Amino acid sequence: MAAACALSRKTAAAPQMEAGLGRRRKSSDGGSPPSPGCSSNGQCWEHEEVERPLYRQRLSPREEERLENEHFWKIINAFNYYGTNIHERVNRTEKQFISLPANQQKLLPQFLSHLEKIRKCIDHNQQILQAIVNDCMHMFENKEYADDGNTIMPASTFDMDKLKSTIKQFIRDWSEDGKAERDSCYQPIINEVKKYFPKEKCDVSKINVLVPGAGLGRLAWEIANQGYSCQGNEWSLFMLFSSNFVLNRCSQVNSFKLYPWIHQFSNNRRSADQIRPIHFPDVNPHDLLSGVNLSMTAGDFQEIYTERSMWDCIATCFFIDTAHNVVDYIDTIWKILKPGGIWINLGPLLYHFENLANEISIELSYEDIKNVVLQYGFCFEEEKESVLTTYTVNDLSMMKYYYECVFFVVRKPE
């Protein structure tokens, strides 16, 4: 069984808001592949957060440190405020129901008892979220966030939406309920990694695979569990707090549960659907193959990964549309891939900054992206323009969103 390891922070950091958290200073090692033996299990984290000068004027180190701490505690506060926020939502529903005429209330004798069940689910979720943040003070090896004694304050709607989305990520990455989604999104990527770097023809432990936008870490974990040296990269503290908990603190299968659908008050066929739990993790994250090298970095993909020709393979899943300018991502991938290296991509083009004020957002069609990829010099090995999949879907909901994703494999020429 692999042992847990902490995260390390190499530079001070200061994101202003979660939407812009992916803009950070590069690490001192240029985002190098994980070195064998860097830790007992390879689950090492390097934390770096600072805004890029393109979007915010560079501040003094002291000011950056202050903003970093401020942001850290803002996300902690969102976790702590969760229960209060969702209880307020349920209380509004109860007040509205009680305002109905008595004869109409009698038609729905189970309505208030259902709300009580939701309240119990909220309290349980809050306990899990509290366990996650309790470990955050010490999640970075060279950075401590001592308790500043702040009281819980109302969190923004934006932060609460991010937190509710993060709760649903536990389904996608670490529950049996998310297996179908992982099979459609992650398995095609894993298959291509194995196809282009077969165990029969190479020492897979020396094949360096990078997974930007790693989320809660399951894709990176699965690739590492095939024997490859894999590094995941993530910028969101919501994701980082949660993935740290799963990868480093969960050691028994399905030992925890969450109620991810209690926030959905519409499109429920049955009341019970809203309060059904999911259990996680569906595998023991510590049960990696012996000698496996898995690591994680925290920070901006473009800022951390600057060293040329370092990676044999880059796997992007639901990632390239997180860019302010997707051409920047393509440029970075071209530079850091080794000659002959492979880039595997699967995902839609739901540009994250499209409707955010004061944010740069260049929205390209897939046709334009493909032309840019070709002009950089990549050679297409495989391409599918319609891979049907979902993202944290509620299987029992009366409304579902489906993506027709683009899937391609390109090679950087020797």
Side-chain angles (χ1 to χ4, degrees):
M1 177 178 292
C5 91
L7 294 80
S8 65
R9 186 184 74 85
K10 293 188 176 181
T11 58
Q16 290 179 316
M17 60 177 289
E18 185 65 17
L21 195 58
R23 304 193 289 273
R24 316 212 178 118
R25 181 180 300 163
K26 69 183 179 67
S27 64
S28 59
D29 64 2
S32 299
S35 57
C38 70
S39 67
S40 57
N41 73 333
Q43 291 181 16
C44 297
W45 298 69
E46 301 166 347
H47 176 62
E48 17 221 336
E49 304 175 343
V50 73
E51 299 275 357
R52 292 168 60 190
L54 175 62
Y55 305 107
R56 178 173 67 80
Q57 184 177 3
R58 184 71 70 194
L59 301 175
S60 68
R62 178 176 296 182
E63 181 67 6
E64 288 178 344
E65 185 75 12
R66 184 188 68 79
L67 289 175
E68 176 193 6
N69 279 275
E70 182 180 286
H71 182 76
F72 181 90
W73 285 106
K74 183 168 76 78
I75 305 306
I76 293 287
N77 180 75
F79 275 75
N80 290 332
Y81 185 67
Y82 167 85
T84 300
N85 178 264
I86 308 304
H87 274 301
E88 288 176 352
R89 171 66 175 86
V90 176
N91 291 341
R92 289 197 303 271
T93 299
E94 182 180 40
K95 289 179 181 178
Q96 291 166 2
F97 179 78
I98 293 175
S99 71
L100 296 177
N103 63 314
Q104 292 186 5
Q105 293 185 43
K106 289 180 180 179
L107 297 174
L108 297 163
Q110 303 302 319
F111 190 86
L112 292 178
S113 63
H114 175 65
L115 295 185
E116 285 304 313
K117 293 176 183 177
I118 292 178
R119 288 188 173 103
K120 291 180 180 179
C121 295
I122 295 170
D123 292 340
H124 177 85
N125 282 359
Q126 184 64 76
Q127 291 176 5
I128 299 297
L129 296 178
Q130 194 62 53
I132 291 172
V133 299
N134 283 345
D135 193 49
C136 292
M137 314 308 158
H138 313 291
M139 66 189 289
F140 303 122
E141 288 179 334
N142 59 343
K143 174 70 176 180
E144 291 289 324
Y145 292 93
D147 190 348
D148 62 358
N150 286 342
T151 57
I152 300 174
M153 301 293 291
S156 68
T157 300
F158 181 88
D159 284 344
M160 295 314 302
D161 286 345
K162 289 289 291 184
L163 182 54
K164 287 184 283 188
S165 295
T166 302
I167 290 173
K168 290 193 289 186
Q169 283 290 139
F170 281 89
I171 309 169
R172 177 177 172 88
D173 269 21
W174 295 103
S175 81
E176 182 64 29
D177 298 61
K179 184 178 185 304
E181 206 164 277
R182 293 194 299 274
D183 286 347
S184 64
C185 294
Y186 297 168
Q187 197 58 50
I189 293 174
I190 296 167
N191 291 343
E192 295 302 313
V193 173
K194 294 166 66 176
K195 173 182 175 180
Y196 287 94
F197 304 98
K199 295 180 180 180
E200 299 78 15
K201 296 184 179 180
C202 62
D203 181 354
V204 296
S205 68
K206 296 181 179 179
I207 300 299
N208 296 314
V209 183
L210 176 63
V211 181
L216 265 60
R218 183 61 178 265
L219 177 58
W221 187 91
E222 291 286 358
I223 292 172
N225 206 34
Q226 296 294 324
Y228 298 92
S229 178
C230 189
Q231 184 170 96
N233 166 244
E234 181 54 55
W235 52 262
S236 166
L237 286 181
F238 288 100
M239 297 288 190
L240 292 168
F241 290 170
S242 301
S243 58
N244 173 62
F245 181 76
V246 174
L247 291 172
N248 290 333
R249 296 294 176 261
C250 295
S251 59
Q252 295 183 1
V253 173
N254 291 331
S255 53
F256 297 94
K257 66 180 177 181
L258 281 166
Y259 297 91
W261 309 120
I262 57 174
H263 321 112
Q264 178 177 323
F265 286 84
S266 298
N267 291 305
N268 293 307
R269 285 191 175 86
R270 291 168 291 275
S271 298
D273 296 344
Q274 188 180 11
I275 57 174
R276 73 188 193 278
I278 62 102
H279 295 83
F280 74 94
D282 63 318
V283 295
N284 181 354
H286 292 180
D287 282 347
L288 288 168
L289 296 174
S290 177
V292 155
N293 192 9
L294 170 65
S295 66
M296 296 287 288
T297 62
D300 173 69
F301 168 62
Q302 293 172 243
E303 296 293 335
I304 292 177
Y305 298 98
T306 58
E307 194 165 350
R308 291 176 176 270
S309 304
M310 292 299 297
W311 299 90
D312 299 287
C313 180
I314 297 175
T316 54
C317 184
F318 279 71
F319 174 70
I320 62 173
D321 55 2
T322 67
H324 288 272
N325 174 12
V326 67
V327 180
D328 285 342
Y329 277 10
I330 296 170
D331 183 73
T332 298
I333 291 170
W334 173 263
K335 289 176 180 176
I336 67 177
L337 263 182
K338 294 178 181 178
I342 294 293
W343 172 22
I344 307 167
N345 176 75
L346 187 150
L349 293 175
L350 181 64
Y351 290 103
H352 287 205
F353 294 96
E354 178 180 355
N355 297 311
L356 289 180
N358 303 316
E359 292 285 356
I360 293 176
S361 182
I362 308 298
E363 299 94 21
L364 302 182
S365 67
Y366 174 62
E367 177 185 33
D368 288 338
I369 290 175
K370 182 176 179 179
N371 287 335
V372 171
V373 169
L374 289 170
Q375 289 179 71
Y376 263 83
F378 285 106
C379 300
F380 273 76
E381 301 283 337
E382 298 186 38
E383 180 183 28
K384 297 178 183 178
E385 292 195 9
S386 182
V387 176
L388 191 66
T389 187
T390 56
Y391 193 91
T392 63
V393 70
N394 183 349
D395 286 333
L396 300 186
S397 176
M398 297 169 67
M399 182 179 71
K400 302 179 181 70
Y401 290 102
Y402 292 89
Y403 293 94
E404 289 195 25
C405 294
V406 168
F407 175 70
F408 62 74
V409 181
V410 296
R411 183 187 298 274
K412 181 179 179 178
E414 296 278 358

